[in-house]
Amino acid sequence: MRKPAASRIVDHPFVARLNHSIALDDDDLAALARLLERTVVIKKAKDIIVEGYEYGVLHVVQQGFAVRYKLLHSGKRQIVNVVMPGDIIGFPACFYEHAVFSVTALSDMSLSHVPLDAFADTCLERATVATALVWFAAREAAIYAEHIIDAGRREPIERLAHFLLETLTRLQAIGNASEESFVMPLSQEAIGDALGLSAPHVNRMLAELKRDGMIAMTGREVRILDRAALQILGEFHSTYLARSPVHRPKR
């Protein structure tokens, strides 16, 4: 374990996200530096949270990717979200008696280890941080809502188009994608688990998008060739991912 220098706390992707939503002052940054000072490294494919177990610790992602999922009795896995740098692992696990989802690392990860009590104390002491976290929670809820619509109403090709643009937009927000290209953090099998499709079905849908000139792929690198057409197909509007600035609470 190591402790990042407090002066570099503004570079932490979680702090950068909060700071983009609401201006954090020096006291806010100092409080977050203390909160995020303990760092742990998680290896690829390691379980971070296992459904049914008790947890009292949050992990804030500095680097790496994970998936939040539910494993059904049939052995099928439903991925409910992709966890990226700046996200929090432990929502909602720490707020229930037992975790209701599992989280597994897709890559080696660097995480800030945050006891739930310390997290709650920081929110009580720093109103600005708590206010920014309300936006953070609202964004998470909006992402889940879109995924429900995917599963319930969109056709497979539409789900995939929406998923590709959502992934691009989220990666752009943390500086991990260019204007029109990104490296897909999920395998085709995992994409299928996120969209309720088989890996061969995902492969066919990707081939169709390539054939129609909407995307190009080299390995896991995805390049968007016709963004307008892909947006129309997936009914994708990035407003649910946008950061709306909020005013600092009055002291």
Side-chain angles (χ1 to χ4, degrees):
M1 297 182 184
R2 57 185 178 82
K3 296 183 179 182
S7 60
R8 305 302 299 171
I9 193 63
V10 292
D11 295 332
H12 194 296
F14 176 69
V15 176
R17 268 190 193 175
L18 297 186
N19 207 23
H20 196 98
S21 177
I22 186 169
L24 301 173
D25 63 22
D26 289 343
D27 290 336
D28 297 326
L29 293 173
L32 287 168
R34 291 190 295 272
L35 188 69
L36 302 173
E37 66 180 356
R38 186 181 179 191
T39 303
V40 296
V41 174
I42 301 295
K43 294 298 183 181
K44 179 180 178 180
K46 181 177 176 60
D47 289 328
I48 303 169
I49 289 178
V50 178
E51 180 184 356
Y53 285 76
E54 296 181 30
Y55 293 92
V57 173
L58 300 172
H59 289 100
V60 183
V61 183
Q62 293 185 35
Q63 294 179 343
F65 298 88
V67 286
R68 184 176 288 113
Y69 68 94
K70 192 140 190 122
L71 193 63
L72 306 180
H73 291 304
S74 63
K76 294 181 179 180
R77 179 179 67 165
Q78 179 63 53
I79 292 174
V80 296
N81 198 15
V82 182
V83 180
M84 299 185 179
D87 287 341
I88 301 174
I89 297 173
F91 280 154
C94 286
F95 296 90
Y96 289 92
E97 185 175 350
H98 301 98
V100 293
F101 298 111
S102 297
V103 178
T104 297
L106 292 176
S107 64
D108 289 350
M109 303 185 74
S110 177
L111 309 175
S112 296
H113 177 99
V114 182
L116 182 60
D117 289 345
F119 182 85
D121 288 344
T122 299
C123 289
L124 289 172
E125 293 169 3
R126 307 304 309 169
T128 303
V129 174
T131 301
L133 285 167
V134 171
W135 171 86
F136 188 94
R139 170 184 166 278
E140 289 291 298
I143 289 174
Y144 287 128
E146 285 291 335
H147 293 179
I148 291 171
I149 296 168
D150 276 343
R153 293 300 179 185
R154 292 189 177 113
E155 296 299 320
I157 193 72
E158 296 169 346
R159 291 181 225 170
L160 181 57
H162 191 278
F163 177 78
L164 291 175
L165 288 171
E166 178 183 275
T167 303
L168 171 66
T169 304
R170 292 184 64 194
L171 289 171
Q172 285 173 334
I174 57 175
N176 280 33
S178 68
E179 185 65 25
E180 298 296 345
S181 66
F182 64 97
V183 176
M184 171 59 69
L186 277 68
S187 65
Q188 288 189 16
E189 181 179 5
I191 293 173
D193 288 346
L195 301 181
L197 304 171
S198 67
H201 200 166
V202 171
N203 186 270
R204 290 194 297 273
M205 295 298 98
L206 288 170
E208 183 174 338
L209 293 177
K210 288 188 282 186
R211 186 171 60 249
D212 291 343
M214 295 187 196
I215 68 169
M217 291 187 68
T218 304
R220 287 199 181 185
E221 182 182 19
V222 180
R223 186 155 51 94
I224 308 300
L225 301 179
D226 191 340
R227 188 184 183 105
L230 204 61
Q231 284 180 308
I232 292 170
L233 177 62
E235 295 185 276
F236 178 79
H237 306 283
S238 63
T239 50
Y240 72 102
L241 298 172
R243 298 182 173 113
S244 299
V246 293
H247 298 293
R248 287 182 62 90
K250 294 180 179 180
R251 303 285 182 181

